[in-house]
Amino acid sequence: MNLNAVNLVVGHSRTNALLGPLTHVWKAGGMHLLLGGNGAGKSTLLRTLANALPAQSGDISMSNDDQGIRPEDRSTWTKSIAFVSSRPPHQVGLTVEEVWALSGHPEEVRAWHPDLMDLAKSRLSELSDGQAQQVMVARAMLQSNRWLVLDEPTAFLDVQAQRRLWSMLDVHVERGGGVLMATHDLWGVERWSQAQSEATLAKGSLALIRGGEIHELPLHSSKEDLSELLATG
């Protein structure tokens, strides 16, 4: 199902809008990447779409040819969109298996990411940032086979963990799910786009949030071009 925003305004109050009014469609089954400087509104937009923050005005929905879902149907919306923050919750004393069980059947992870099963009996608080973030992405996939919304999930990871997380998101897209991710990982953006088919790229998008608006960018943009664009904001 496509993720839709119509005349959406997001922010912390009606007098402090960060972004909008925004009308935009993120296509189902695509990888959608958001860039932007600190304070541009990326995190607020993502949390609003995931129904973790209220919209200041406008409408959010998911739709396909014969069905529509709105955030007001909290149960259905929660099963259709899962949010992953930039920092995994290390303070949680649950085991990895118990964390997964909160969102679905842990054994399902074996089919997508069998290497993570070695962590199943470990406590989340004992894992590295990279391991814990992979656990949280797997949890999000258990919660929703439609949309994953991620707020700079590679921000505190080393290069190996960053690559592993991008691979996990590829699995979600290959299964027909959509990904909407804010990121500063320009190397990852370039590497991902270069490895994809034109058919996969046609479903995805790359955009810059600046001045309260979303500006579409070519998915084949180089990391040097993207870096220069962000530096001149």
Side-chain angles (χ1 to χ4, degrees):
M1 302 184 82
N2 293 339
L3 180 59
N4 314 301
V6 178
N7 293 324
L8 180 66
V9 175
V10 303
H12 302 295
S13 70
R14 292 186 181 275
T15 58
N16 186 26
L18 292 174
L19 183 63
L22 165 68
T23 296
H24 199 85
V25 177
W26 293 276
K27 292 182 181 178
M31 177 80 79
H32 302 278
L33 305 170
L34 291 178
L35 308 179
N38 293 334
K42 302 186 302 300
S43 298
T44 305
L45 173 62
L46 297 184
R47 290 179 180 274
T48 302
L49 292 171
N51 207 27
L53 288 175
Q56 297 306 310
S57 62
D59 293 301
I60 301 167
S61 65
M62 292 183 201
S63 63
N64 56 23
D65 292 337
D66 57 5
Q67 186 181 11
I69 301 174
R70 298 177 62 83
E72 290 78 5
D73 185 352
R74 294 185 64 87
S75 177
T76 303
W77 193 264
T78 299
K79 294 176 182 177
S80 300
I81 190 166
F83 179 76
V84 179
S85 65
S86 58
R87 280 191 179 275
H90 278 300
Q91 72 276 13
V92 173
L94 300 177
T95 67
V96 168
E97 191 171 49
E98 289 169 337
V99 170
W100 288 337
L102 295 173
S103 297
H105 200 293
E107 273 299 310
E108 292 184 44
V109 176
R110 190 183 301 276
W112 316 325
H113 311 296
D115 52 313
L116 288 183
M117 298 308 293
D118 291 340
L119 303 175
K121 301 300 181 183
S122 302
R123 295 197 178 277
L124 191 65
S125 57
E126 299 170 343
L127 303 183
S128 68
D129 283 343
Q131 290 172 324
Q133 198 66 301
Q134 291 168 43
V135 167
M136 298 310 293
V137 170
R139 180 210 60 81
M141 290 177 65
L142 286 171
Q143 177 182 330
S144 171
N145 61 6
R146 286 178 173 155
W147 282 95
L148 303 186
V149 174
L150 308 100
D151 186 11
E152 299 185 27
T154 64
F156 302 99
L157 308 187
D158 61 25
V159 173
Q160 183 178 17
Q162 288 175 354
R163 293 194 176 206
R164 177 60 185 147
L165 193 137
W166 278 94
S167 295
M168 293 182 71
L169 299 180
D170 266 336
V171 171
H172 184 72
V173 171
E174 288 166 4
R175 294 173 64 237
V179 172
L180 177 58
M181 177 169 67
T183 184
H184 286 137
D185 182 12
L186 303 185
W187 286 83
V189 171
E190 182 184 71
R191 188 171 55 248
W192 180 86
S193 64
Q194 290 177 347
Q196 305 308 308
S197 67
E198 289 301 321
T200 298
L201 293 176
K203 294 181 180 180
S205 66
L206 175 63
L208 173 70
I209 294 183
R210 176 175 289 169
E213 299 178 346
I214 289 184
H215 305 272
E216 296 285 343
L217 302 173
L219 259 171
H220 283 303
S221 299
S222 70
K223 60 182 179 298
E224 289 83 10
D225 287 344
L226 294 176
S227 179
E228 183 65 25
L229 184 63
L230 288 168
T232 57

Short mmCIF file of all heavy atoms in Angstrom, two decimals, residues 112-167:
data_model
loop_
_atom_site.label_atom_id
_atom_site.label_comp_id
_atom_site.label_asym_id
_atom_site.label_seq_id
_atom_site.Cartn_x
_atom_site.Cartn_y
_atom_site.Cartn_z
N TRP A 112 14.33 -14.92 7.45
CA TRP A 112 14.86 -13.70 6.83
C TRP A 112 16.32 -13.46 7.17
O TRP A 112 17.12 -13.06 6.32
CB TRP A 112 14.07 -12.47 7.31
CG TRP A 112 12.60 -12.62 7.34
CD1 TRP A 112 11.82 -13.34 6.46
CD2 TRP A 112 11.70 -12.05 8.29
NE1 TRP A 112 10.51 -13.24 6.81
CE2 TRP A 112 10.39 -12.45 7.93
CE3 TRP A 112 11.86 -11.23 9.41
CZ2 TRP A 112 9.27 -12.07 8.64
CZ3 TRP A 112 10.75 -10.84 10.12
CH2 TRP A 112 9.46 -11.27 9.75
N HIS A 113 16.68 -13.67 8.42
CA HIS A 113 18.02 -13.33 8.91
C HIS A 113 18.52 -14.44 9.85
O HIS A 113 18.60 -14.24 11.07
CB HIS A 113 17.99 -11.99 9.65
CG HIS A 113 17.30 -10.90 8.90
ND1 HIS A 113 17.76 -10.42 7.69
CD2 HIS A 113 16.15 -10.21 9.16
CE1 HIS A 113 16.93 -9.47 7.25
NE2 HIS A 113 15.96 -9.34 8.12
N PRO A 114 18.84 -15.62 9.31
CA PRO A 114 19.19 -16.76 10.16
C PRO A 114 20.39 -16.50 11.06
O PRO A 114 20.48 -17.06 12.16
CB PRO A 114 19.47 -17.88 9.15
CG PRO A 114 19.71 -17.19 7.84
CD PRO A 114 18.86 -15.96 7.88
N ASP A 115 21.32 -15.63 10.64
CA ASP A 115 22.50 -15.36 11.44
C ASP A 115 22.16 -14.66 12.75
O ASP A 115 22.91 -14.75 13.73
CB ASP A 115 23.51 -14.52 10.66
CG ASP A 115 22.89 -13.27 10.06
OD1 ASP A 115 21.80 -13.39 9.46
OD2 ASP A 115 23.46 -12.19 10.20
N LEU A 116 21.01 -13.97 12.81
CA LEU A 116 20.61 -13.29 14.05
C LEU A 116 20.13 -14.26 15.12
O LEU A 116 20.06 -13.89 16.30
CB LEU A 116 19.51 -12.27 13.77
CG LEU A 116 19.90 -11.00 13.03
CD1 LEU A 116 18.69 -10.07 12.92
CD2 LEU A 116 21.05 -10.28 13.71
N MET A 117 19.82 -15.48 14.73
CA MET A 117 19.30 -16.44 15.71
C MET A 117 20.33 -16.77 16.78
O MET A 117 19.97 -17.20 17.89
CB MET A 117 18.81 -17.71 15.01
CG MET A 117 17.67 -17.49 14.03
SD MET A 117 16.25 -16.57 14.72
CE MET A 117 15.66 -17.77 15.93
N ASP A 118 21.61 -16.57 16.49
CA ASP A 118 22.65 -16.80 17.50
C ASP A 118 22.52 -15.83 18.68
O ASP A 118 23.06 -16.08 19.76
CB ASP A 118 24.04 -16.64 16.88
CG ASP A 118 24.37 -17.76 15.90
OD1 ASP A 118 23.72 -18.82 15.97
OD2 ASP A 118 25.26 -17.56 15.06
N LEU A 119 21.80 -14.72 18.46
CA LEU A 119 21.63 -13.71 19.51
C LEU A 119 20.35 -13.91 20.31
O LEU A 119 20.10 -13.18 21.27
CB LEU A 119 21.60 -12.31 18.89
CG LEU A 119 22.81 -11.88 18.05
CD1 LEU A 119 22.54 -10.51 17.44
CD2 LEU A 119 24.07 -11.86 18.89
N ALA A 120 19.53 -14.86 19.93
CA ALA A 120 18.17 -14.97 20.46
C ALA A 120 18.11 -15.05 21.98
O ALA A 120 17.21 -14.49 22.61
CB ALA A 120 17.44 -16.16 19.84
N LYS A 121 19.06 -15.74 22.60
CA LYS A 121 19.02 -15.92 24.05
C LYS A 121 19.78 -14.83 24.81
O LYS A 121 19.76 -14.79 26.04
CB LYS A 121 19.60 -17.28 24.41
CG LYS A 121 18.87 -18.46 23.78
CD LYS A 121 17.40 -18.52 24.18
CE LYS A 121 16.70 -19.72 23.56
NZ LYS A 121 15.26 -19.75 23.89
N SER A 122 20.45 -13.94 24.06
CA SER A 122 21.19 -12.85 24.70
C SER A 122 20.25 -11.74 25.13
O SER A 122 19.18 -11.55 24.54
CB SER A 122 22.23 -12.28 23.73
OG SER A 122 23.13 -13.26 23.29
N ARG A 123 20.66 -10.99 26.15
CA ARG A 123 19.87 -9.84 26.56
C ARG A 123 20.21 -8.65 25.65
O ARG A 123 21.38 -8.44 25.29
CB ARG A 123 20.12 -9.49 28.02
CG ARG A 123 19.65 -10.58 28.97
CD ARG A 123 19.51 -10.09 30.40
NE ARG A 123 19.01 -11.18 31.24
CZ ARG A 123 17.73 -11.51 31.35
NH1 ARG A 123 16.82 -10.81 30.68
NH2 ARG A 123 17.35 -12.50 32.12
N LEU A 124 19.20 -7.88 25.30
CA LEU A 124 19.42 -6.74 24.41
C LEU A 124 20.45 -5.79 25.01
O LEU A 124 21.25 -5.20 24.28
CB LEU A 124 18.09 -6.01 24.19
CG LEU A 124 18.07 -4.95 23.09
CD1 LEU A 124 18.30 -5.58 21.73
CD2 LEU A 124 16.75 -4.19 23.10
N SER A 125 20.46 -5.65 26.32
CA SER A 125 21.38 -4.74 27.00
C SER A 125 22.83 -5.17 26.88
O SER A 125 23.75 -4.38 27.14
CB SER A 125 21.00 -4.62 28.47
OG SER A 125 21.01 -5.89 29.10
N GLU A 126 23.08 -6.43 26.49
CA GLU A 126 24.44 -6.95 26.38
C GLU A 126 25.03 -6.81 24.99
O GLU A 126 26.22 -7.07 24.79
CB GLU A 126 24.45 -8.44 26.76
CG GLU A 126 23.99 -8.72 28.18
CD GLU A 126 23.77 -10.20 28.46
OE1 GLU A 126 23.67 -10.99 27.50
OE2 GLU A 126 23.69 -10.55 29.65
N LEU A 127 24.23 -6.39 24.03
CA LEU A 127 24.66 -6.37 22.64
C LEU A 127 25.35 -5.07 22.27
O LEU A 127 25.16 -4.04 22.91
CB LEU A 127 23.45 -6.57 21.72
CG LEU A 127 22.62 -7.83 21.93
CD1 LEU A 127 21.51 -7.90 20.89
CD2 LEU A 127 23.49 -9.09 21.87
N SER A 128 26.15 -5.13 21.22
CA SER A 128 26.73 -3.90 20.65
C SER A 128 25.62 -3.10 19.99
O SER A 128 24.51 -3.59 19.73
CB SER A 128 27.79 -4.26 19.62
OG SER A 128 27.18 -4.84 18.48
N ASP A 129 25.91 -1.83 19.67
CA ASP A 129 24.93 -1.00 18.99
C ASP A 129 24.50 -1.63 17.67
O ASP A 129 23.31 -1.63 17.32
CB ASP A 129 25.49 0.40 18.72
CG ASP A 129 25.50 1.27 19.96
OD1 ASP A 129 24.79 0.94 20.93
OD2 ASP A 129 26.22 2.29 19.96
N GLY A 130 25.47 -2.16 16.92
CA GLY A 130 25.16 -2.76 15.63
C GLY A 130 24.27 -3.97 15.76
O GLY A 130 23.29 -4.14 15.01
N GLN A 131 24.58 -4.84 16.71
CA GLN A 131 23.75 -6.03 16.93
C GLN A 131 22.36 -5.64 17.39
O GLN A 131 21.36 -6.17 16.89
CB GLN A 131 24.41 -6.93 17.97
CG GLN A 131 25.68 -7.62 17.51
CD GLN A 131 26.38 -8.34 18.65
OE1 GLN A 131 26.39 -7.87 19.80
NE2 GLN A 131 26.98 -9.49 18.35
N ALA A 132 22.28 -4.71 18.33
CA ALA A 132 20.98 -4.31 18.87
C ALA A 132 20.11 -3.65 17.79
O ALA A 132 18.90 -3.88 17.73
CB ALA A 132 21.17 -3.37 20.05
N GLN A 133 20.73 -2.85 16.92
CA GLN A 133 19.94 -2.21 15.88
C GLN A 133 19.41 -3.24 14.88
O GLN A 133 18.27 -3.13 14.41
CB GLN A 133 20.78 -1.15 15.16
CG GLN A 133 19.99 -0.14 14.36
CD GLN A 133 19.11 0.75 15.21
OE1 GLN A 133 18.23 0.28 15.94
NE2 GLN A 133 19.33 2.05 15.12
N GLN A 134 20.21 -4.25 14.57
CA GLN A 134 19.73 -5.33 13.70
C GLN A 134 18.56 -6.07 14.34
O GLN A 134 17.59 -6.42 13.67
CB GLN A 134 20.87 -6.28 13.39
CG GLN A 134 21.94 -5.68 12.50
CD GLN A 134 23.19 -6.54 12.43
OE1 GLN A 134 23.11 -7.76 12.32
NE2 GLN A 134 24.35 -5.91 12.50
N VAL A 135 18.64 -6.28 15.64
CA VAL A 135 17.54 -6.91 16.37
C VAL A 135 16.27 -6.07 16.25
O VAL A 135 15.17 -6.59 16.03
CB VAL A 135 17.91 -7.11 17.86
CG1 VAL A 135 16.68 -7.47 18.69
CG2 VAL A 135 18.98 -8.20 17.98
N MET A 136 16.40 -4.75 16.38
CA MET A 136 15.23 -3.87 16.33
C MET A 136 14.63 -3.80 14.93
O MET A 136 13.41 -3.68 14.77
CB MET A 136 15.59 -2.48 16.84
CG MET A 136 16.05 -2.43 18.29
SD MET A 136 14.93 -3.30 19.44
CE MET A 136 13.48 -2.25 19.35
N VAL A 137 15.47 -3.89 13.90
CA VAL A 137 14.94 -3.93 12.53
C VAL A 137 14.19 -5.24 12.30
O VAL A 137 13.11 -5.26 11.69
CB VAL A 137 16.07 -3.75 11.50
CG1 VAL A 137 15.57 -4.04 10.08
CG2 VAL A 137 16.63 -2.33 11.57
N ALA A 138 14.73 -6.35 12.81
CA ALA A 138 14.03 -7.63 12.70
C ALA A 138 12.70 -7.56 13.44
O ALA A 138 11.68 -8.10 12.97
CB ALA A 138 14.90 -8.75 13.25
N ARG A 139 12.68 -6.91 14.61
CA ARG A 139 11.43 -6.75 15.36
C ARG A 139 10.41 -5.96 14.54
O ARG A 139 9.21 -6.29 14.48
CB ARG A 139 11.68 -6.04 16.68
CG ARG A 139 10.42 -5.84 17.53
CD ARG A 139 10.51 -4.60 18.39
NE ARG A 139 10.67 -3.39 17.63
CZ ARG A 139 9.67 -2.73 17.03
NH1 ARG A 139 8.43 -3.18 17.12
NH2 ARG A 139 9.90 -1.64 16.35
N ALA A 140 10.88 -4.89 13.88
CA ALA A 140 9.99 -4.08 13.06
C ALA A 140 9.42 -4.90 11.90
O ALA A 140 8.24 -4.74 11.54
CB ALA A 140 10.74 -2.85 12.53
N MET A 141 10.22 -5.77 11.32
CA MET A 141 9.74 -6.62 10.23
C MET A 141 8.69 -7.60 10.73
O MET A 141 7.77 -7.96 9.99
CB MET A 141 10.91 -7.35 9.59
CG MET A 141 11.83 -6.45 8.79
SD MET A 141 13.27 -7.32 8.10
CE MET A 141 12.49 -8.45 6.96
N LEU A 142 8.81 -8.05 11.98
CA LEU A 142 7.78 -8.91 12.55
C LEU A 142 6.48 -8.13 12.75
O LEU A 142 5.38 -8.68 12.58
CB LEU A 142 8.25 -9.47 13.90
CG LEU A 142 9.30 -10.57 13.87
CD1 LEU A 142 9.80 -10.86 15.29
CD2 LEU A 142 8.75 -11.84 13.24
N GLN A 143 6.60 -6.88 13.12
CA GLN A 143 5.42 -6.05 13.39
C GLN A 143 4.67 -5.72 12.11
O GLN A 143 3.43 -5.75 12.07
CB GLN A 143 5.82 -4.75 14.09
CG GLN A 143 4.66 -3.80 14.34
CD GLN A 143 5.11 -2.50 15.00
OE1 GLN A 143 6.09 -2.48 15.73
NE2 GLN A 143 4.41 -1.41 14.71
N SER A 144 5.42 -5.40 11.04
CA SER A 144 4.78 -4.93 9.81
C SER A 144 5.47 -5.51 8.58
O SER A 144 6.69 -5.39 8.44
CB SER A 144 4.84 -3.40 9.74
OG SER A 144 4.42 -2.94 8.47
N ASN A 145 4.68 -6.09 7.69
CA ASN A 145 5.23 -6.51 6.40
C ASN A 145 4.98 -5.46 5.33
O ASN A 145 5.26 -5.68 4.16
CB ASN A 145 4.66 -7.86 5.96
CG ASN A 145 3.15 -7.83 5.78
OD1 ASN A 145 2.52 -6.78 5.88
ND2 ASN A 145 2.56 -8.98 5.52
N ARG A 146 4.46 -4.31 5.76
CA ARG A 146 4.23 -3.21 4.82
C ARG A 146 5.34 -2.16 4.95
O ARG A 146 6.30 -2.17 4.19
CB ARG A 146 2.84 -2.61 5.06
CG ARG A 146 1.72 -3.50 4.53
CD ARG A 146 0.35 -2.95 4.79
NE ARG A 146 -0.67 -3.75 4.14
CZ ARG A 146 -1.93 -3.84 4.52
NH1 ARG A 146 -2.33 -3.14 5.59
NH2 ARG A 146 -2.79 -4.59 3.87
N TRP A 147 5.25 -1.27 5.94
CA TRP A 147 6.17 -0.14 5.99
C TRP A 147 7.07 -0.20 7.22
O TRP A 147 6.61 -0.42 8.34
CB TRP A 147 5.39 1.18 6.02
CG TRP A 147 4.89 1.56 4.66
CD1 TRP A 147 3.65 1.30 4.13
CD2 TRP A 147 5.62 2.24 3.64
NE1 TRP A 147 3.58 1.78 2.85
CE2 TRP A 147 4.77 2.35 2.52
CE3 TRP A 147 6.92 2.75 3.56
CZ2 TRP A 147 5.16 2.97 1.34
CZ3 TRP A 147 7.32 3.36 2.38
CH2 TRP A 147 6.45 3.47 1.29
N LEU A 148 8.36 0.03 6.97
CA LEU A 148 9.33 0.29 8.03
C LEU A 148 9.74 1.76 7.92
O LEU A 148 10.10 2.23 6.83
CB LEU A 148 10.58 -0.58 7.89
CG LEU A 148 10.42 -2.09 7.87
CD1 LEU A 148 11.79 -2.76 7.87
CD2 LEU A 148 9.57 -2.58 9.03
N VAL A 149 9.68 2.47 9.02
CA VAL A 149 10.07 3.88 9.08
C VAL A 149 11.24 3.97 10.04
O VAL A 149 11.13 3.60 11.21
CB VAL A 149 8.89 4.75 9.56
CG1 VAL A 149 9.34 6.19 9.75
CG2 VAL A 149 7.74 4.68 8.56
N LEU A 150 12.38 4.46 9.55
CA LEU A 150 13.62 4.43 10.33
C LEU A 150 14.25 5.81 10.38
O LEU A 150 14.41 6.48 9.36
CB LEU A 150 14.62 3.43 9.73
CG LEU A 150 14.09 2.01 9.50
CD1 LEU A 150 13.72 1.82 8.02
CD2 LEU A 150 15.11 0.96 9.91
N ASP A 151 14.63 6.23 11.58
CA ASP A 151 15.22 7.55 11.80
C ASP A 151 16.72 7.40 12.02
O ASP A 151 17.17 7.13 13.13
CB ASP A 151 14.55 8.21 13.00
CG ASP A 151 15.02 9.65 13.20
OD1 ASP A 151 15.69 10.20 12.29
OD2 ASP A 151 14.71 10.23 14.26
N GLU A 152 17.48 7.56 10.95
CA GLU A 152 18.95 7.47 11.00
C GLU A 152 19.41 6.23 11.76
O GLU A 152 20.19 6.33 12.73
CB GLU A 152 19.53 8.74 11.62
CG GLU A 152 19.18 10.00 10.83
CD GLU A 152 19.85 11.25 11.38
OE1 GLU A 152 20.92 11.12 12.00
OE2 GLU A 152 19.30 12.34 11.20
N PRO A 153 19.02 5.05 11.30
CA PRO A 153 19.33 3.81 12.05
C PRO A 153 20.80 3.42 12.03
O PRO A 153 21.22 2.61 12.85
CB PRO A 153 18.47 2.76 11.33
CG PRO A 153 18.36 3.27 9.93
CD PRO A 153 18.24 4.77 10.08
N THR A 154 21.59 4.00 11.11
CA THR A 154 23.02 3.65 11.04
C THR A 154 23.90 4.69 11.72
O THR A 154 25.13 4.62 11.64
CB THR A 154 23.47 3.50 9.58
OG1 THR A 154 23.35 4.76 8.90
CG2 THR A 154 22.64 2.45 8.85
N ALA A 155 23.30 5.66 12.40
CA ALA A 155 24.05 6.83 12.91
C ALA A 155 25.19 6.46 13.84
O ALA A 155 26.23 7.11 13.85
CB ALA A 155 23.10 7.79 13.60
N PHE A 156 25.02 5.42 14.66
CA PHE A 156 26.02 5.09 15.67
C PHE A 156 26.70 3.74 15.39
O PHE A 156 27.27 3.13 16.29
CB PHE A 156 25.37 5.08 17.06
CG PHE A 156 24.72 6.39 17.41
CD1 PHE A 156 23.35 6.56 17.27
CD2 PHE A 156 25.48 7.46 17.83
CE1 PHE A 156 22.75 7.77 17.57
CE2 PHE A 156 24.89 8.67 18.14
CZ PHE A 156 23.53 8.83 18.00
N LEU A 157 26.65 3.29 14.13
CA LEU A 157 27.17 1.98 13.78
C LEU A 157 28.48 2.08 13.02
O LEU A 157 28.73 3.06 12.31
CB LEU A 157 26.15 1.22 12.92
CG LEU A 157 24.72 1.11 13.46
CD1 LEU A 157 23.91 0.17 12.57
CD2 LEU A 157 24.70 0.66 14.90
N ASP A 158 29.32 1.04 13.15
CA ASP A 158 30.53 0.99 12.35
C ASP A 158 30.17 0.56 10.93
O ASP A 158 29.01 0.23 10.62
CB ASP A 158 31.58 0.06 12.98
CG ASP A 158 31.12 -1.38 13.09
OD1 ASP A 158 30.24 -1.82 12.32
OD2 ASP A 158 31.65 -2.10 13.97
N VAL A 159 31.16 0.55 10.04
CA VAL A 159 30.90 0.31 8.63
C VAL A 159 30.29 -1.07 8.40
O VAL A 159 29.34 -1.23 7.62
CB VAL A 159 32.20 0.47 7.81
CG1 VAL A 159 31.97 0.04 6.36
CG2 VAL A 159 32.68 1.92 7.86
N GLN A 160 30.81 -2.08 9.08
CA GLN A 160 30.28 -3.43 8.89
C GLN A 160 28.81 -3.51 9.31
O GLN A 160 27.99 -4.10 8.60
CB GLN A 160 31.11 -4.43 9.69
CG GLN A 160 30.68 -5.88 9.50
CD GLN A 160 31.55 -6.84 10.28
OE1 GLN A 160 32.27 -6.46 11.20
NE2 GLN A 160 31.50 -8.11 9.90
N ALA A 161 28.48 -2.92 10.44
CA ALA A 161 27.10 -2.94 10.92
C ALA A 161 26.18 -2.13 10.01
O ALA A 161 25.02 -2.50 9.80
CB ALA A 161 27.03 -2.42 12.35
N GLN A 162 26.70 -1.02 9.47
CA GLN A 162 25.90 -0.23 8.53
C GLN A 162 25.53 -1.07 7.31
O GLN A 162 24.37 -1.08 6.87
CB GLN A 162 26.69 1.01 8.09
CG GLN A 162 26.82 2.08 9.15
CD GLN A 162 27.70 3.23 8.70
OE1 GLN A 162 28.31 3.18 7.63
NE2 GLN A 162 27.78 4.27 9.51
N ARG A 163 26.52 -1.76 6.77
CA ARG A 163 26.26 -2.57 5.57
C ARG A 163 25.27 -3.69 5.87
O ARG A 163 24.40 -4.01 5.05
CB ARG A 163 27.57 -3.15 5.03
CG ARG A 163 28.51 -2.08 4.49
CD ARG A 163 29.62 -2.68 3.67
NE ARG A 163 30.46 -1.66 3.08
CZ ARG A 163 31.18 -1.81 1.97
NH1 ARG A 163 31.14 -2.97 1.33
NH2 ARG A 163 31.92 -0.84 1.51
N ARG A 164 25.40 -4.28 7.06
CA ARG A 164 24.50 -5.36 7.44
C ARG A 164 23.07 -4.83 7.55
O ARG A 164 22.12 -5.47 7.11
CB ARG A 164 24.95 -5.96 8.78
CG ARG A 164 24.04 -7.04 9.32
CD ARG A 164 23.91 -8.20 8.39
NE ARG A 164 22.94 -9.16 8.88
CZ ARG A 164 22.16 -9.89 8.10
NH1 ARG A 164 22.23 -9.77 6.79
NH2 ARG A 164 21.30 -10.75 8.62
N LEU A 165 22.89 -3.64 8.08
CA LEU A 165 21.55 -3.09 8.24
C LEU A 165 20.93 -2.77 6.88
O LEU A 165 19.75 -3.04 6.65
CB LEU A 165 21.59 -1.86 9.12
CG LEU A 165 20.21 -1.40 9.58
CD1 LEU A 165 20.24 -1.01 11.05
CD2 LEU A 165 19.72 -0.24 8.74
N TRP A 166 21.72 -2.20 5.97
CA TRP A 166 21.21 -1.96 4.61
C TRP A 166 20.75 -3.26 3.97
O TRP A 166 19.72 -3.30 3.28
CB TRP A 166 22.28 -1.30 3.75
CG TRP A 166 22.41 0.18 3.93
CD1 TRP A 166 23.27 0.84 4.77
CD2 TRP A 166 21.68 1.21 3.26
NE1 TRP A 166 23.11 2.20 4.66
CE2 TRP A 166 22.14 2.46 3.75
CE3 TRP A 166 20.67 1.20 2.30
CZ2 TRP A 166 21.64 3.68 3.29
CZ3 TRP A 166 20.16 2.41 1.85
CH2 TRP A 166 20.65 3.62 2.34
N SER A 167 21.51 -4.34 4.19
CA SER A 167 21.13 -5.64 3.62
C SER A 167 19.81 -6.13 4.19
O SER A 167 18.99 -6.72 3.48
CB SER A 167 22.23 -6.68 3.90
OG SER A 167 23.43 -6.34 3.24
#
